[in-house]
Amino acid sequence: MTVTTPAGFRAAGIPAGLKSTGAKDLALVVNDGPAFDSASVFTANRCKANPILWSQEVVKDGVVRAVVLNSGGANCYTGPDGFQTTHAVAEKVGSVLGVAPGDVVVCSTGLIGLANDRDHLLAGVDTAYAALSGDGGADAATAIMTTDSVSKQVVVEGAGWSIGGMAKGAGMLAPQLATMLVILTTDAVVPAADLDQALRAATRVSFDRLDSDGCMSTNDTVTVMASGASGITPTLPDFTDALTQACTDLAMQLLRDAEGADHEIAITVLNAASEDDAVEAGRSVARSNLFKAAVFGNDPNWGRVLASIGTTQAAFDPADLDVAMNGVWVCRSSTPDADPALVDLKPREVSVTIDLKSGDARATVWTNDLTHAYVHENSAYSS
Amino acid sequence: MTVTTPAGFRAAGIPAGLKSTGAKDLALVVNDGPAFDSASVFTANRCKANPILWSQEVVKDGVVRAVVLNSGGANCYTGPDGFQTTHAVAEKVGSVLGVAPGDVVVCSTGLIGLANDRDHLLAGVDTAYAALSGDGGADAATAIMTTDSVSKQVVVEGAGWSIGGMAKGAGMLAPQLATMLVILTTDAVVPAADLDQALRAATRVSFDRLDSDGCMSTNDTVTVMASGASGITPTLPDFTDALTQACTDLAMQLLRDAEGADHEIAITVLNAASEDDAVEAGRSVARSNLFKAAVFGNDPNWGRVLASIGTTQAAFDPADLDVAMNGVWVCRSSTPDADPALVDLKPREVSVTIDLKSGDARATVWTNDLTHAYVHENSAYSS
């Protein structure tokens, strides 16, 4: 069920003292080989945290031996000293594992502007190293949680190989990666260039289509490591399909655990002139606070859907739009159609379907409703 | 204090039966001349309401004799029958006033997708016509309210001439005009072309910089009418200054009455490479739900400011940004500086200052915090 399911990986999750609660806050995931191929994607935010600045360099040669992750502090905008903390942690992991520090990805999550206690981190690496095991994946998944209410893990089985994954993220979920850390492992034999191609294809239709609250994080990282321990080389399409399945599963787990949300909303745009148009239209609806508050109130307010689409550059005729909510076509040709009272928004899962009648492309963007609990969680606690 | 303060204007606001509460819901503002110059700006939303489709044509020749406005229904996405309602109302106003229907601007506000009762509207025009008076401005300002808690009016005095104005708007406040209707009057002599230039200059730095909740309306209209009744022709810069002052005053009234808001937030971006950069950076912060929820919680979370700026294309060095909240520089050179505990966010008015250190342009964008009351108001009631 986790990153240690594929052969060739060990992991640990331990309390290093960064969280005042004493909860687990440091995770280590190690690839024992024989191969060390990897690929990564990072946040598109131009304001990047120190671990991103470090890890972007680490992954360039396609070799990653280990990932060390901490919750309890994002190490973002903590200055040169913060970068030195990231560097020191990578050096420490390299030292205990006997690998080059330049092959160690570092991830951090928590409050921006908060320096992480370097001594706690370095001592924590020793503790995590001692705890490494072939069934340590669940502990690692727990150690990276911040406001997450549950840990997120996935396994997808191939023919003699598998993919494992873990993720964290509950707020700042937005396109081009959410506030999330995702580590994927596989024992398939997949060269780094193929891993990169597969990972970009998988994230494009999963994490990149998740727009819970429109806020883009400074720390997002998705790293996949391939140990080759199964000795099996899947075809690239087969591997890409499995990786997409794993990423989509984790994305839906993030969506379901989004801060304060009462509804998961799938916005599907049909018959767009291009996939980009479909994504742009879907994302505009996902970012409408008025629409999201209406869903929270179980109000099938399709006017707010049209008002959102009208702000985009997508190709469509404003006088010929159809909108369905939970399968009820409440608007056809931009006029009222079925009675909105037929739409039952009480179940958590809500579908919005928009027909742009301008082509044959389509896309789905996922978001959450805007709730009292979202406001509470993000006003009462720093993150 | 209102649209009837300048000489040459009469107005009325009466209950026409559109609102189930029996409150005033129809307003009429008439220019008695001798001049009938006008200028207007409309929502940039591509999904436009029927009154917008009508009024865009009306204003093209620079002549407007009257504006008729209703609350209780936006007449947006109500189909061809809805457009005929708008047309019938303009015909009716033209008939009672003895002017061309093509010189009558129509504005509607309320729920999208809701047809307005045409008979109520037409009978209401008769009632409003009978009630027209030189001190009817306050009634007119009341009749256009929807979720507004107070009516919004303004007067700016020139040398022997004046500008009067009224506005409505409390939600869907976003750039390129908010969910708002604004009618401005003046007894100065100002040809239509100059009015247009002055209005575009005034809205660019007032209504267009208001981004309360990121949602752009389908019905926004700002119309200015010049009666020339004072016989005085101000210089264009003088008139533009006065009009900008009137628009800014009304914009601040809209901001202070935004649905559910606890704070008015002025985001000022300094030393940007261009004014566009300054506006883009400011607007990104104004659209961050996480930042807005933090202000509601009196949490000076400058990390969320930087995370927002990082999503823009503005010119800046991510490692050299300064951020102040209420005058306290909590972040300098992208590292923590003054203790955030020094920032007192209890007062309603909050200032955020961002120094991009990339040029000498600046701009201020205004927004509100994200509160429980915003969620409540927009989930419990359709609008």
Side-chain angles (χ1 to χ4, degrees):
Chain A
M1 268 302 290
T2 184
V3 290
T4 44
T5 300
F9 293 92
R10 288 176 298 152
I14 57 97
L18 299 166
K19 285 180 177 165
S20 56
T21 59
K24 293 189 178 77
D25 50 18
L26 190 127
L28 187 58
V29 182
V30 178
N31 181 357
D32 289 323
F36 304 101
D37 293 281
S38 81
S40 296
V41 289
F42 298 100
T43 181
N45 199 310
R46 291 169 61 203
C47 292
K48 297 183 202 302
N50 286 311
I52 300 286
L53 300 177
W54 168 263
S55 299
Q56 278 182 329
E57 300 304 313
V58 166
V59 303
K60 280 185 177 163
D61 64 357
V63 174
V64 169
R65 304 286 301 241
V67 182
V68 57
L69 313 92
N70 75 274
S71 52
N75 196 1
C76 180
Y77 288 118
T78 48
D81 191 61
F83 186 81
Q84 285 165 22
T85 296
T86 292
H87 186 202
V89 169
E91 292 269 1
K92 177 74 180 177
V93 171
S95 162
V96 296
L97 292 176
V99 303
D103 290 338
V104 178
V105 164
V106 181
C107 303
S108 299
T109 180
L111 184 64
I112 297 175
L114 182 72
N116 289 334
D117 187 301
R118 195 182 303 173
D119 292 339
H120 284 172
L121 278 168
L122 298 181
V125 170
D126 279 325
T127 310
Y129 174 70
L132 280 173
S133 90
D135 55 8
D139 284 343
T142 302
I144 60 176
M145 291 165 62
T146 54
T147 55
D148 306 68
S149 70
V150 293
S151 69
K152 287 97 176 170
Q153 301 173 69
V154 70
V155 166
V156 176
E157 295 286 349
W161 52 276
S162 64
I163 294 174
M166 66 178 189
K168 70 78 50 178
M172 274 202 192
L173 289 176
Q176 294 156 27
L177 305 193
T179 299
M180 56 180 214
L181 305 178
V182 179
I183 305 299
L184 297 150
T185 56
T186 182
D187 49 9
V189 177
V190 191
D194 287 353
L195 268 185
D196 187 69
Q197 192 179 328
L199 183 63
R200 288 176 193 281
T203 55
R204 191 176 65 82
V205 297
S206 56
F207 302 118
D208 282 355
R209 301 258 167 105
L210 193 64
D211 195 339
S212 173
D213 66 358
C215 293
M216 191 192 295
S217 157
T218 50
N219 287 56
D220 294 331
T221 303
V222 182
T223 292
V224 56
M225 295 183 284
S227 70
S230 70
I232 295 170
T233 307
T235 68
L236 185 53
D238 280 356
F239 182 75
T240 302
D241 283 352
L243 195 63
T244 302
Q245 196 181 325
C247 287
T248 303
D249 188 294
L250 288 173
M252 294 303 106
Q253 292 186 52
L254 294 170
L255 184 72
R256 284 194 294 272
D257 196 32
E259 286 169 351
D262 268 8
H263 290 89
E264 290 85 55
I265 309 171
I267 302 156
T268 299
V269 179
L270 302 176
N271 301 317
S274 67
E275 190 174 315
D276 282 352
D277 271 17
V279 171
E280 186 188 359
R283 190 161 283 164
S284 75
V285 178
R287 295 218 169 165
S288 166
N289 280 352
L290 286 173
F291 169 72
K292 289 148 69 90
V295 172
F296 170 57
N298 298 329
D299 173 14
N301 196 315
W302 56 268
R304 294 175 180 175
V305 174
L306 291 186
S308 301
I309 298 171
T311 65
T312 72
Q313 299 306 310
F316 64 82
D317 175 358
D320 194 18
L321 292 167
D322 293 358
V323 178
M325 296 185 70
N326 284 355
V328 179
W329 290 91
V330 286
C331 171
R332 289 217 190 249
S333 299
S334 299
T335 53
D337 200 81
D339 184 353
L342 297 173
V343 181
D344 179 9
L345 290 178
K346 286 191 203 73
R348 283 190 69 93
E349 294 200 0
V350 172
S351 74
V352 178
T353 312
I354 299 153
D355 189 340
L356 294 184
K357 305 181 190 177
S358 301
D360 57 10
R362 60 180 291 163
T364 298
V365 174
W366 292 278
T367 191
N368 297 103
D369 52 349
L370 179 60
T371 68
H372 289 299
Y374 176 89
V375 174
H376 177 70
E377 216 168 307
N378 288 297
S379 60
Y381 309 106
S382 275
S383 65
Chain B
M1 270 301 291
T2 183
V3 290
T4 46
T5 299
F9 293 92
R10 287 176 299 153
I14 57 97
L18 299 167
K19 284 180 179 166
S20 56
T21 57
K24 293 189 179 78
D25 50 18
L26 190 126
L28 186 58
V29 181
V30 178
N31 181 358
D32 289 322
F36 304 101
D37 294 281
S38 82
S40 295
V41 289
F42 298 101
T43 181
N45 200 309
R46 290 170 61 202
C47 291
K48 297 182 202 300
N50 286 308
I52 299 286
L53 300 176
W54 168 263
S55 299
Q56 278 182 329
E57 300 304 313
V58 166
V59 304
K60 280 186 177 163
D61 64 358
V63 174
V64 169
R65 304 287 299 242
V67 182
V68 57
L69 313 93
N70 76 273
S71 52
N75 196 1
C76 180
Y77 288 117
T78 49
D81 191 62
F83 187 81
Q84 286 164 23
T85 296
T86 292
H87 186 204
V89 169
E91 291 270 0
K92 177 75 179 176
V93 171
S95 163
V96 298
L97 292 176
V99 303
D103 290 338
V104 178
V105 165
V106 181
C107 303
S108 298
T109 179
L111 185 63
I112 297 174
L114 183 71
N116 290 335
D117 186 302
R118 195 182 302 173
D119 293 341
H120 283 172
L121 278 168
L122 298 180
V125 170
D126 279 326
T127 311
Y129 174 70
L132 280 173
S133 93
D135 55 8
D139 284 343
T142 302
I144 60 175
M145 290 166 61
T146 54
T147 54
D148 305 68
S149 70
V150 293
S151 70
K152 287 95 176 171
Q153 301 173 69
V154 71
V155 166
V156 175
E157 296 285 350
W161 53 276
S162 63
I163 294 174
M166 67 179 187
K168 69 77 50 178
M172 273 203 194
L173 290 176
Q176 294 155 27
L177 305 192
T179 300
M180 57 179 211
L181 305 178
V182 179
I183 305 300
L184 297 149
T185 56
T186 181
D187 49 9
V189 177
V190 191
D194 286 354
L195 269 184
D196 188 69
Q197 193 179 326
L199 183 62
R200 287 174 196 282
T203 56
R204 192 176 63 85
V205 296
S206 55
F207 302 117
D208 282 355
R209 302 253 168 110
L210 194 63
D211 194 339
S212 174
D213 66 358
C215 293
M216 191 191 294
S217 157
T218 52
N219 288 54
D220 295 332
T221 302
V222 182
T223 292
V224 56
M225 294 183 285
S227 70
S230 71
I232 296 171
T233 306
T235 67
L236 185 55
D238 280 356
F239 182 76
T240 302
D241 282 352
L243 195 64
T244 302
Q245 195 180 325
C247 288
T248 303
D249 188 295
L250 287 172
M252 293 302 107
Q253 292 185 53
L254 293 171
L255 183 72
R256 284 194 293 273
D257 196 31
E259 286 169 351
D262 267 9
H263 290 89
E264 290 86 54
I265 309 171
I267 302 156
T268 300
V269 179
L270 303 176
N271 301 318
S274 67
E275 190 174 312
D276 283 352
D277 270 17
V279 171
E280 185 189 358
R283 190 160 283 163
S284 75
V285 178
R287 295 218 168 163
S288 167
N289 280 351
L290 286 174
F291 169 71
K292 289 148 70 90
V295 172
F296 170 57
N298 299 330
D299 172 13
N301 195 315
W302 57 268
R304 293 175 181 176
V305 174
L306 291 186
S308 301
I309 298 171
T311 65
T312 73
Q313 299 306 311
F316 64 82
D317 174 357
D320 194 17
L321 292 166
D322 294 357
V323 177
M325 298 186 69
N326 285 355
V328 179
W329 290 91
V330 286
C331 171
R332 288 216 190 250
S333 300
S334 298
T335 53
D337 199 81
D339 185 353
L342 298 173
V343 181
D344 179 9
L345 290 178
K346 286 192 201 72
R348 282 190 69 93
E349 296 200 0
V350 172
S351 73
V352 178
T353 313
I354 299 153
D355 189 341
L356 294 184
K357 306 182 190 177
S358 301
D360 56 10
R362 59 181 290 163
T364 298
V365 174
W366 293 278
T367 191
N368 297 103
D369 52 350
L370 179 61
T371 68
H372 288 299
Y374 176 90
V375 173
H376 178 70
E377 216 169 307
N378 288 298
S379 60
Y381 309 105
S382 275
S383 65

